[in-house]
Amino acid sequence: MTVYGSFPGSRPRRLRTTPAMRRMVAETRLNPADLILPAFVREGVSEPVPIAAMPGVVQHSLDTLRKAAVEAREAGVSGIMLFGVPEDAKKDAAGTAGTDPDGILQVAVRAVKEEVGDELVVMSDLCLDEYTDHGHCGVLDADGRVDNDATLERYAEMAQVQADAGVHVVGPSGMMDGQVGVIRDALDTIGREDVSILAYTAKYSSAFYGPFREAVASSLKGDRKTYQQDPANLRESMRELALDLAEGADMVMVKPAGPYLDVLAKVAESVDVPVAAYQISGEYAMVEAAAEKGWIERDKAILETLTGIRRAGAQMILTYWATEAAQKLGRA
């Protein structure tokens, strides 16, 4: 037999011989505390509304949202990211339902805080897209373009009403220039230096958002390519990262997760703040659809995708499987 290099003395397969051995030498470990549950709450419903494109995910009523928060906490999940779905009649050009102290998101934040207090990190989506009748993440100018600076004024108001509702973390997801700094100033102005900012640092204009549009009953007309990032670009993400950190971001995020693991790894190598990744609706839907067809093993595929995101450098993973995955990991 021809001997190559250090073979037969060096045999990496020795460390793969049994489940116990593989577990002992695993380089990446997934823990329930790594997970954050995104959750939708719909105004005016008494029962959860299934989301057809995301089997197993629903638009919650306030009551079922409370239960989901408790279940997540008991499973060991660290946080819950809330998205409000207002009644269509309350949508307008400025997204005023998003800054109404009694708007659905603020009501949901208060409800979850009443249920779990500080035992679960309560996060809120800070964006106008759910509340505008045109579906964009900001207000429009006379030519129908998203007006960056006018939108920042609305984001400042949103940050303050969400803080007043009791949120621990705000997640500005609109990709407006300067949003982190404006939100930090708005929070500090009302004495809420304790509220953290999870910056959507690299949010790409992705084809994988489709099911989310159903989840939030989006009214979007057109696309978001003038403010979300071009999927072809990595250096641009690093520029966005530097700006967000300079403006006071406490945590940074890459979204989507799976198609952008290279971006995630680069970001994670470059910062000394916590890094998150959002496994988005299309990533979820693909696994569920393939599993329903019998083409993949669902549970193994879920944990493999999450492990890959964790291995790429994410300390926190937003995933619709958060509670389920945490329960499985807790039993492992």
Side-chain angles (χ1 to χ4, degrees), residues 202-292:
K203 182 179 180 181
Y204 285 88
S205 180
S206 172
F208 294 98
Y209 293 130
F212 182 88
R213 305 275 162 79
E214 178 189 346
V216 296
S218 174
S219 302
L220 181 65
K221 301 175 179 67
D223 59 49
R224 297 181 172 132
K225 293 182 179 180
T226 65
Y227 45 101
Q228 293 179 352
Q229 274 190 238
D230 185 339
N233 294 350
L234 172 58
R235 286 195 301 271
E236 184 181 18
S237 292
M238 304 312 292
R239 185 183 183 198
E240 292 277 6
L241 175 64
L243 291 168
D244 282 350
L245 293 174
E247 292 173 24
D250 299 289
M251 301 168 275
V252 296
M253 183 157 68
V254 174
K255 180 180 181 182
Y260 298 91
L261 294 181
D262 60 325
V263 180
L264 174 59
K266 183 72 171 177
V267 168
E269 289 172 359
S270 305
V271 300
D272 57 5
V273 299
V275 177
Y278 196 145
Q279 185 180 53
I280 67 170
S281 60
E283 297 176 75
Y284 174 94
M286 287 192 299
V287 171
E288 291 289 348
E292 190 275 330

Coordinates of all heavy atoms in Angstrom, one line a residue, residues 202-292:
A202 N -26.5 44.5 7.6 CA -26.5 44.0 6.2 C -27.8 43.3 5.9 O -28.0 42.1 6.2 CB -25.3 43.1 6.0
K203 N -28.8 44.1 5.4 CA -30.0 43.5 5.1 C -30.2 43.6 3.5 O -30.2 44.7 3.0 CB -31.2 44.3 5.7 CG -32.6 43.7 5.4 CD -33.7 44.4 6.1 CE -35.0 43.8 5.7 NZ -36.1 44.6 6.4
Y204 N -30.2 42.4 2.9 CA -30.1 42.4 1.5 C -31.5 42.3 0.8 O -32.5 41.8 1.4 CB -29.3 41.1 1.1 CG -27.8 41.3 1.3 CD1 -27.2 40.9 2.5 CD2 -27.0 41.8 0.3 CE1 -25.8 41.1 2.7 CE2 -25.6 41.9 0.4 CZ -25.1 41.6 1.7 OH -23.7 41.7 1.8
S205 N -31.5 42.9 -0.4 CA -32.8 42.8 -1.2 C -32.9 41.4 -1.8 O -32.4 41.1 -2.8 CB -32.7 43.9 -2.3 OG -33.9 43.9 -3.1
S206 N -33.5 40.6 -1.0 CA -33.5 39.1 -1.3 C -34.8 38.6 -1.9 O -35.9 39.1 -1.6 CB -33.2 38.4 0.1 OG -33.4 37.0 -0.1
A207 N -34.6 37.5 -2.7 CA -35.8 36.8 -3.2 C -36.5 35.9 -2.2 O -37.5 35.4 -2.4 CB -35.4 36.0 -4.4
F208 N -35.8 35.8 -1.0 CA -36.3 34.9 0.0 C -37.3 35.5 1.0 O -37.7 34.8 2.0 CB -35.2 34.2 0.8 CG -34.3 33.4 -0.1 CD1 -33.1 33.8 -0.7 CD2 -34.7 32.0 -0.4 CE1 -32.4 33.0 -1.5 CE2 -33.9 31.2 -1.2 CZ -32.7 31.7 -1.8
Y209 N -37.7 36.7 0.8 CA -38.6 37.4 1.7 C -40.1 37.1 1.4 O -41.0 37.5 2.2 CB -38.5 38.9 1.7 CG -37.2 39.4 2.2 CD1 -36.4 40.3 1.5 CD2 -36.7 39.0 3.5 CE1 -35.2 40.8 2.0 CE2 -35.5 39.5 4.0 CZ -34.8 40.4 3.2 OH -33.6 40.9 3.7
G210 N -40.4 36.4 0.3 CA -41.8 36.2 -0.1 C -42.8 35.8 0.9 O -43.8 36.5 1.1
P211 N -42.5 34.8 1.7 CA -43.5 34.4 2.7 C -43.7 35.4 3.8 O -44.8 35.5 4.3 CB -42.9 33.1 3.3 CG -42.1 32.5 2.2 CD -41.5 33.7 1.5
F212 N -42.7 36.2 4.1 CA -42.9 37.2 5.1 C -43.9 38.3 4.7 O -44.6 38.8 5.5 CB -41.5 37.9 5.3 CG -41.5 39.0 6.4 CD1 -41.3 38.6 7.7 CD2 -41.7 40.3 6.1 CE1 -41.2 39.6 8.7 CE2 -41.7 41.3 7.0 CZ -41.5 40.9 8.4
R213 N -44.0 38.5 3.4 CA -44.9 39.5 2.9 C -46.4 39.1 3.3 O -47.2 39.9 3.6 CB -44.8 39.7 1.4 CG -43.4 40.1 1.0 CD -43.1 41.6 1.0 NE -41.6 41.9 1.0 CZ -40.9 41.9 0.0 NH1 -41.4 41.6 -1.2 NH2 -39.6 42.2 0.1
E214 N -46.6 37.8 3.2 CA -47.9 37.3 3.6 C -48.1 37.4 5.1 O -49.1 37.8 5.6 CB -48.1 35.8 3.2 CG -49.4 35.2 3.7 CD -49.5 33.7 3.5 OE1 -48.7 33.1 2.7 OE2 -50.4 33.1 4.1
A215 N -47.0 37.1 5.8 CA -47.1 37.1 7.3 C -47.4 38.5 7.9 O -48.1 38.6 8.9 CB -45.7 36.6 7.9
V216 N -47.0 39.5 7.2 CA -47.3 40.9 7.7 C -48.3 41.6 6.9 O -48.6 42.8 7.0 CB -46.0 41.8 7.8 CG1 -45.0 41.2 8.8 CG2 -45.4 42.0 6.4
A217 N -49.0 40.8 6.0 CA -50.1 41.4 5.1 C -49.5 42.6 4.4 O -50.2 43.7 4.4 CB -51.3 41.7 5.9
S218 N -48.4 42.5 3.8 CA -47.7 43.6 3.2 C -48.5 44.3 2.0 O -49.2 43.6 1.2 CB -46.4 43.2 2.6 OG -45.7 44.2 1.9
S219 N -48.5 45.6 2.0 CA -49.1 46.3 0.9 C -48.1 46.8 -0.1 O -48.4 47.8 -0.9 CB -49.9 47.5 1.5 OG -50.8 47.1 2.4
L220 N -46.9 46.2 -0.2 CA -45.8 46.7 -1.0 C -46.2 46.8 -2.5 O -46.7 45.9 -3.1 CB -44.6 45.8 -0.8 CG -43.4 46.2 -1.6 CD1 -42.9 47.5 -1.1 CD2 -42.3 45.1 -1.6
K221 N -45.9 48.0 -3.0 CA -45.9 48.2 -4.5 C -44.5 48.5 -4.9 O -43.9 49.4 -4.4 CB -46.9 49.4 -4.8 CG -48.3 49.2 -4.3 CD -49.1 50.4 -4.5 CE -50.6 50.2 -4.0 NZ -50.7 50.1 -2.6
G222 N -44.0 47.7 -5.9 CA -42.6 47.9 -6.3 C -41.7 47.1 -5.5 O -42.0 46.0 -5.1
D223 N -40.4 47.5 -5.4 CA -39.4 46.8 -4.6 C -38.7 47.7 -3.7 O -38.9 48.9 -3.6 CB -38.5 46.0 -5.6 CG -37.8 47.0 -6.5 OD1 -37.2 48.0 -6.0 OD2 -37.7 46.7 -7.7
R224 N -37.7 47.1 -3.0 CA -37.0 47.9 -2.0 C -35.5 48.0 -2.3 O -34.6 48.2 -1.5 CB -37.1 47.2 -0.6 CG -38.6 47.2 -0.2 CD -38.8 46.6 1.2 NE -40.1 46.8 1.7 CZ -40.9 45.9 2.2 NH1 -40.4 44.6 2.3 NH2 -42.1 46.1 2.6
K225 N -35.2 47.9 -3.6 CA -33.8 47.9 -4.0 C -33.0 49.2 -3.8 O -31.8 49.2 -3.8 CB -33.7 47.4 -5.5 CG -34.1 46.0 -5.7 CD -34.0 45.6 -7.2 CE -34.4 44.1 -7.3 NZ -34.3 43.7 -8.7
T226 N -33.7 50.3 -3.6 CA -33.0 51.6 -3.4 C -32.6 51.7 -2.0 O -31.8 52.7 -1.7 CB -33.9 52.8 -3.8 OG1 -35.0 52.9 -2.9 CG2 -34.3 52.7 -5.2
Y227 N -33.0 50.8 -1.1 CA -32.5 51.0 0.3 C -32.0 49.6 0.9 O -31.1 49.7 1.7 CB -33.5 51.6 1.2 CG -35.0 51.1 1.1 CD1 -35.5 50.2 2.1 CD2 -35.8 51.6 0.2 CE1 -36.8 49.8 2.0 CE2 -37.1 51.2 0.1 CZ -37.6 50.3 1.0 OH -39.0 49.9 1.0
Q228 N -32.5 48.5 0.5 CA -31.9 47.3 0.9 C -30.7 47.0 0.0 O -30.6 47.4 -1.1 CB -32.9 46.1 0.8 CG -34.0 46.2 1.8 CD -35.0 45.1 1.7 OE1 -35.0 44.3 0.8 NE2 -36.0 45.1 2.7
Q229 N -29.7 46.2 0.5 CA -28.5 46.0 -0.2 C -28.5 45.1 -1.4 O -29.4 44.1 -1.4 CB -27.4 45.4 0.8 CG -26.7 46.5 1.6 CD -25.5 45.9 2.3 OE1 -25.5 46.0 3.5 NE2 -24.6 45.3 1.6
D230 N -27.7 45.3 -2.3 CA -27.5 44.5 -3.5 C -26.9 43.2 -3.1 O -25.8 43.2 -2.5 CB -26.6 45.2 -4.5 CG -26.4 44.5 -5.8 OD1 -26.7 43.2 -5.9 OD2 -26.1 45.1 -6.8
P231 N -27.5 42.0 -3.4 CA -26.9 40.7 -3.0 C -25.5 40.5 -3.6 O -24.8 39.6 -3.0 CB -27.9 39.7 -3.7 CG -29.2 40.4 -3.7 CD -28.8 41.9 -4.0
A232 N -25.1 41.2 -4.5 CA -23.7 41.0 -5.1 C -22.6 41.6 -4.2 O -21.4 41.3 -4.5 CB -23.6 41.6 -6.5
N233 N -23.0 42.4 -3.2 CA -21.9 43.2 -2.6 C -21.6 42.8 -1.2 O -22.5 42.5 -0.3 CB -22.4 44.7 -2.5 CG -22.5 45.3 -3.8 OD1 -22.1 44.8 -4.8 ND2 -23.1 46.5 -3.9
L234 N -20.3 42.7 -0.9 CA -19.8 42.4 0.4 C -19.1 43.6 1.1 O -19.3 43.9 2.2 CB -18.8 41.2 0.4 CG -18.0 40.9 1.6 CD1 -18.9 40.6 2.8 CD2 -17.0 39.8 1.4
R235 N -18.3 44.3 0.3 CA -17.6 45.5 0.8 C -18.6 46.5 1.3 O -18.3 47.2 2.4 CB -16.6 46.1 -0.2 CG -15.4 45.3 -0.5 CD -14.3 46.1 -1.2 NE -14.8 46.6 -2.5 CZ -14.7 45.9 -3.6 NH1 -14.1 44.7 -3.6 NH2 -15.2 46.4 -4.8
E236 N -19.7 46.6 0.6 CA -20.7 47.6 1.1 C -21.2 47.2 2.5 O -21.5 48.1 3.3 CB -21.9 47.6 0.1 CG -22.9 48.6 0.4 CD -24.1 48.5 -0.7 OE1 -24.2 47.5 -1.4 OE2 -24.8 49.5 -0.7
S237 N -21.3 45.9 2.8 CA -21.8 45.5 4.1 C -20.8 46.0 5.2 O -21.2 46.4 6.3 CB -21.9 44.0 4.2 OG -22.9 43.6 3.4
M238 N -19.5 45.9 4.8 CA -18.5 46.3 5.8 C -18.5 47.8 6.0 O -18.3 48.3 7.1 CB -17.1 45.9 5.3 CG -17.0 44.4 5.1 SD -17.6 43.4 6.4 CE -16.5 43.7 7.7
R239 N -18.9 48.6 5.0 CA -19.1 50.0 5.2 C -20.3 50.3 6.1 O -20.2 51.2 7.0 CB -19.2 50.7 3.8 CG -19.3 52.2 3.9 CD -19.5 52.8 2.5 NE -19.5 54.3 2.6 CZ -20.1 55.0 1.6 NH1 -20.6 54.5 0.5 NH2 -20.0 56.3 1.8
E240 N -21.4 49.6 5.8 CA -22.5 49.7 6.7 C -22.2 49.4 8.1 O -22.7 50.0 9.0 CB -23.7 48.8 6.1 CG -24.2 49.2 4.8 CD -25.3 50.3 4.9 OE1 -25.5 50.9 6.0 OE2 -25.9 50.6 3.8
L241 N -21.4 48.3 8.3 CA -21.0 47.9 9.6 C -20.3 49.0 10.3 O -20.6 49.3 11.5 CB -20.2 46.7 9.5 CG -19.5 46.1 10.8 CD1 -20.6 45.7 11.8 CD2 -18.6 45.0 10.5
A242 N -19.3 49.6 9.7 CA -18.5 50.7 10.3 C -19.4 51.9 10.7 O -19.3 52.5 11.8 CB -17.4 51.2 9.4
L243 N -20.4 52.2 9.8 CA -21.3 53.3 10.1 C -22.2 53.0 11.3 O -22.4 53.8 12.2 CB -22.1 53.6 8.9 CG -21.4 54.3 7.7 CD1 -22.2 54.2 6.5 CD2 -20.9 55.7 8.0
D244 N -22.8 51.8 11.3 CA -23.7 51.4 12.4 C -22.9 51.4 13.8 O -23.5 51.9 14.8 CB -24.3 50.0 12.2 CG -25.4 50.1 11.2 OD1 -25.8 51.2 10.8 OD2 -25.8 49.0 10.7
L245 N -21.7 50.9 13.8 CA -21.0 50.9 15.1 C -20.6 52.3 15.5 O -20.7 52.7 16.7 CB -19.7 50.1 14.9 CG -19.9 48.6 14.7 CD1 -18.6 47.9 14.4 CD2 -20.5 47.9 15.9
A246 N -20.3 53.2 14.6 CA -20.0 54.6 14.9 C -21.2 55.3 15.4 O -21.1 56.2 16.3 CB -19.4 55.3 13.7
E247 N -22.4 54.9 15.0 CA -23.6 55.6 15.4 C -24.1 55.0 16.7 O -25.1 55.5 17.3 CB -24.7 55.4 14.3 CG -24.3 56.2 13.1 CD -25.3 56.0 11.9 OE1 -26.4 55.6 12.2 OE2 -24.9 56.2 10.7
G248 N -23.5 53.9 17.2 CA -23.9 53.4 18.5 C -24.7 52.1 18.6 O -25.3 51.8 19.6
A249 N -24.6 51.3 17.5 CA -25.2 50.0 17.5 C -24.7 49.1 18.6 O -23.5 49.1 18.8 CB -25.1 49.3 16.2
D250 N -25.6 48.5 19.4 CA -25.1 47.6 20.4 C -24.9 46.2 19.9 O -24.1 45.4 20.5 CB -26.2 47.5 21.5 CG -26.4 48.9 22.2 OD1 -25.5 49.3 22.9 OD2 -27.5 49.5 21.9
M251 N -25.6 45.8 18.9 CA -25.5 44.5 18.3 C -25.7 44.7 16.8 O -26.4 45.7 16.4 CB -26.6 43.5 18.8 CG -26.5 43.3 20.3 SD -28.0 42.4 20.9 CE -29.1 43.8 21.2
V252 N -25.2 43.8 15.9 CA -25.4 43.9 14.5 C -25.9 42.6 13.9 O -25.7 41.6 14.5 CB -24.0 44.3 13.8 CG1 -23.6 45.7 14.3 CG2 -22.9 43.3 14.1
M253 N -26.5 42.7 12.8 CA -27.2 41.5 12.2 C -27.0 41.5 10.7 O -26.9 42.5 10.0 CB -28.7 41.5 12.5 CG -29.4 40.3 12.0 SD -30.9 40.0 12.9 CE -31.9 41.3 12.4
V254 N -26.9 40.2 10.2 CA -26.9 39.9 8.8 C -28.3 39.2 8.4 O -28.7 38.3 9.2 CB -25.7 39.0 8.4 CG1 -25.8 38.6 6.9 CG2 -24.4 39.8 8.6
K255 N -28.9 39.7 7.4 CA -30.2 39.1 7.0 C -30.3 39.2 5.5 O -30.1 40.2 4.9 CB -31.3 40.0 7.6 CG -32.7 39.5 7.3 CD -33.8 40.4 7.9 CE -35.2 40.0 7.6 NZ -36.2 40.9 8.2
P256 N -30.7 38.0 4.8 CA -30.9 36.7 5.3 C -29.6 36.0 5.9 O -28.5 36.6 5.8 CB -31.4 35.9 4.1 CG -31.8 37.0 3.1 CD -30.9 38.1 3.4
A257 N -29.8 34.8 6.4 CA -28.6 34.1 7.0 C -28.0 33.1 6.0 O -26.8 33.3 5.6 CB -29.1 33.4 8.2
G258 N -28.7 32.1 5.6 CA -28.1 31.0 4.8 C -27.4 31.4 3.5 O -26.3 31.0 3.3
P259 N -28.0 32.3 2.7 CA -27.3 32.7 1.5 C -26.2 33.6 1.7 O -25.5 34.0 0.7 CB -28.5 33.3 0.6 CG -29.7 32.9 1.3 CD -29.4 32.7 2.7
Y260 N -26.0 34.1 2.9 CA -25.0 35.2 3.2 C -24.0 34.8 4.3 O -23.6 35.6 5.1 CB -25.7 36.5 3.5 CG -26.5 37.0 2.3 CD1 -27.9 36.6 2.2 CD2 -26.0 37.7 1.3 CE1 -28.6 37.0 1.1 CE2 -26.7 38.1 0.1 CZ -28.0 37.7 0.1 OH -28.8 38.1 -1.0
L261 N -23.7 33.5 4.4 CA -22.8 33.0 5.4 C -21.4 33.6 5.3 O -20.7 33.8 6.3 CB -22.7 31.5 5.4 CG -24.0 30.8 5.8 CD1 -23.8 29.3 5.8 CD2 -24.6 31.2 7.1
D262 N -21.0 34.0 4.0 CA -19.7 34.6 3.9 C -19.7 36.0 4.5 O -18.7 36.4 5.1 CB -19.3 34.7 2.4 CG -20.3 35.4 1.5 OD1 -21.5 35.4 1.8 OD2 -19.9 36.1 0.6
V263 N -20.8 36.7 4.3 CA -20.9 38.1 4.9 C -21.0 38.0 6.4 O -20.3 38.7 7.1 CB -22.2 38.8 4.4 CG1 -22.3 40.1 5.0 CG2 -22.2 38.8 2.8
L264 N -21.7 37.0 6.9 CA -21.8 36.8 8.3 C -20.4 36.5 8.9 O -20.1 37.1 9.9 CB -22.8 35.6 8.6 CG -22.9 35.2 10.1 CD1 -23.4 36.3 11.0 CD2 -23.9 34.0 10.1
A265 N -19.7 35.6 8.3 CA -18.3 35.3 8.8 C -17.4 36.5 8.8 O -16.7 36.7 9.7 CB -17.7 34.2 8.0
K266 N -17.5 37.3 7.7 CA -16.7 38.5 7.6 C -17.0 39.5 8.7 O -16.1 40.1 9.4 CB -16.8 39.1 6.3 CG -16.0 40.3 6.0 CD -14.5 40.0 5.8 CE -13.7 41.2 5.3 NZ -12.2 40.8 5.3
V267 N -18.3 39.7 8.9 CA -18.8 40.6 10.0 C -18.3 40.1 11.4 O -17.8 40.9 12.2 CB -20.3 40.8 9.9 CG1 -20.8 41.5 11.2 CG2 -20.7 41.6 8.7
A268 N -18.5 38.8 11.6 CA -18.2 38.3 12.9 C -16.7 38.4 13.2 O -16.3 38.6 14.4 CB -18.6 36.8 13.0
E269 N -15.8 38.3 12.2 CA -14.4 38.4 12.4 C -14.0 39.9 12.7 O -12.9 40.1 13.2 CB -13.7 38.0 11.1 CG -13.7 36.5 10.8 CD -13.1 36.2 9.4 OE1 -12.7 37.2 8.7 OE2 -13.1 35.0 9.0
S270 N -14.8 40.8 12.4 CA -14.4 42.2 12.3 C -14.9 43.0 13.5 O -14.5 44.2 13.7 CB -15.0 42.9 11.1 OG -14.5 42.2 9.9
V271 N -15.7 42.5 14.4 CA -16.4 43.3 15.4 C -16.1 42.7 16.8 O -15.8 41.5 17.0 CB -17.9 43.5 15.2 CG1 -18.1 44.2 13.9 CG2 -18.6 42.2 15.3
D272 N -16.4 43.5 17.8 CA -16.3 43.1 19.2 C -17.7 43.3 19.9 O -17.8 43.4 21.1 CB -15.2 43.7 20.0 CG -15.3 45.3 20.0 OD1 -16.3 45.8 19.4 OD2 -14.4 45.9 20.6
V273 N -18.7 43.4 19.1 CA -20.1 43.4 19.6 C -20.8 42.1 19.2 O -20.4 41.4 18.3 CB -20.9 44.6 19.1 CG1 -20.2 45.9 19.5 CG2 -21.0 44.6 17.6
P274 N -21.9 41.8 19.9 CA -22.6 40.5 19.5 C -23.2 40.6 18.0 O -23.6 41.7 17.6 CB -23.8 40.5 20.5 CG -23.3 41.3 21.7 CD -22.5 42.4 21.1
V275 N -23.1 39.5 17.4 CA -23.5 39.4 16.0 C -24.7 38.4 15.9 O -24.7 37.3 16.4 CB -22.4 38.9 15.1 CG1 -22.8 38.7 13.6 CG2 -21.2 39.8 15.2
A276 N -25.7 38.9 15.2 CA -27.0 38.1 14.9 C -27.1 37.8 13.5 O -26.5 38.5 12.6 CB -28.2 38.8 15.4
A277 N -27.9 36.8 13.2 CA -28.3 36.5 11.8 C -29.8 36.1 11.8 O -30.2 35.4 12.8 CB -27.4 35.3 11.2
Y278 N -30.5 36.4 10.8 CA -31.9 36.2 10.7 C -32.1 35.1 9.6 O -31.9 35.4 8.4 CB -32.7 37.5 10.4 CG -34.2 37.5 10.6 CD1 -34.8 38.6 11.0 CD2 -35.0 36.4 10.4 CE1 -36.1 38.7 11.3 CE2 -36.3 36.4 10.6 CZ -36.9 37.6 11.0 OH -38.3 37.6 11.2
Q279 N -32.6 33.9 10.1 CA -33.0 32.9 9.1 C -34.4 33.2 8.7 O -35.4 33.0 9.4 CB -32.9 31.5 9.8 CG -33.1 30.3 8.9 CD -33.0 29.0 9.6 OE1 -33.7 28.8 10.6 NE2 -32.2 28.1 9.1
I280 N -34.5 33.7 7.5 CA -35.8 34.4 7.1 C -36.8 33.4 6.6 O -36.6 32.2 6.4 CB -35.6 35.5 6.1 CG1 -35.1 35.0 4.8 CG2 -34.6 36.5 6.7 CD1 -35.1 36.0 3.7
S281 N -38.0 34.0 6.3 CA -39.2 33.2 5.9 C -39.0 32.2 4.7 O -39.4 31.1 4.8 CB -40.3 34.1 5.6 OG -40.0 35.0 4.5
G282 N -38.2 32.7 3.7 CA -38.0 31.8 2.6 C -37.1 30.6 2.9 O -37.3 29.5 2.4
E283 N -36.1 30.9 3.8 CA -35.3 29.8 4.2 C -36.1 28.7 5.0 O -35.9 27.5 4.8 CB -34.2 30.3 5.1 CG -33.2 31.3 4.4 CD -32.2 31.9 5.4 OE1 -31.3 31.2 5.7 OE2 -32.4 33.1 5.8
Y284 N -37.0 29.2 5.8 CA -37.9 28.3 6.6 C -38.8 27.6 5.6 O -38.9 26.3 5.8 CB -38.7 29.2 7.6 CG -39.8 28.5 8.3 CD1 -39.6 28.0 9.6 CD2 -41.1 28.3 7.8 CE1 -40.6 27.3 10.3 CE2 -42.1 27.7 8.5 CZ -41.8 27.2 9.7 OH -42.8 26.5 10.4
A285 N -39.4 28.3 4.7 CA -40.4 27.7 3.8 C -39.8 26.6 2.9 O -40.4 25.6 2.7 CB -41.1 28.7 3.0
M286 N -38.6 26.8 2.5 CA -37.9 25.8 1.6 C -37.7 24.5 2.4 O -38.0 23.4 1.8 CB -36.6 26.3 1.1 CG -36.7 27.4 0.1 SD -35.1 27.7 -0.7 CE -34.1 28.3 0.7
V287 N -37.3 24.5 3.6 CA -37.1 23.3 4.4 C -38.4 22.6 4.6 O -38.6 21.4 4.5 CB -36.3 23.6 5.7 CG1 -36.3 22.4 6.6 CG2 -34.9 24.1 5.4
E288 N -39.4 23.4 5.0 CA -40.7 22.8 5.3 C -41.3 22.2 4.1 O -41.9 21.1 4.2 CB -41.6 23.9 5.9 CG -41.3 24.4 7.3 CD -41.5 23.3 8.4 OE1 -42.2 22.3 8.1 OE2 -41.0 23.6 9.5
A289 N -41.2 22.9 2.9 CA -41.8 22.3 1.7 C -41.1 21.0 1.3 O -41.7 20.1 0.9 CB -41.7 23.4 0.6
A290 N -39.8 21.0 1.3 CA -39.0 19.8 0.9 C -39.3 18.7 1.9 O -39.4 17.5 1.5 CB -37.5 20.1 0.9
A291 N -39.4 19.0 3.2 CA -39.7 17.9 4.1 C -41.1 17.4 3.9 O -41.3 16.2 4.0 CB -39.6 18.5 5.6
E292 N -42.1 18.3 3.6 CA -43.4 17.8 3.3 C -43.5 16.9 2.2 O -44.3 15.9 2.1 CB -44.3 19.0 3.1 CG -45.8 18.7 3.1 CD -46.3 18.3 1.7 OE1 -45.7 18.7 0.7 OE2 -47.3 17.5 1.7

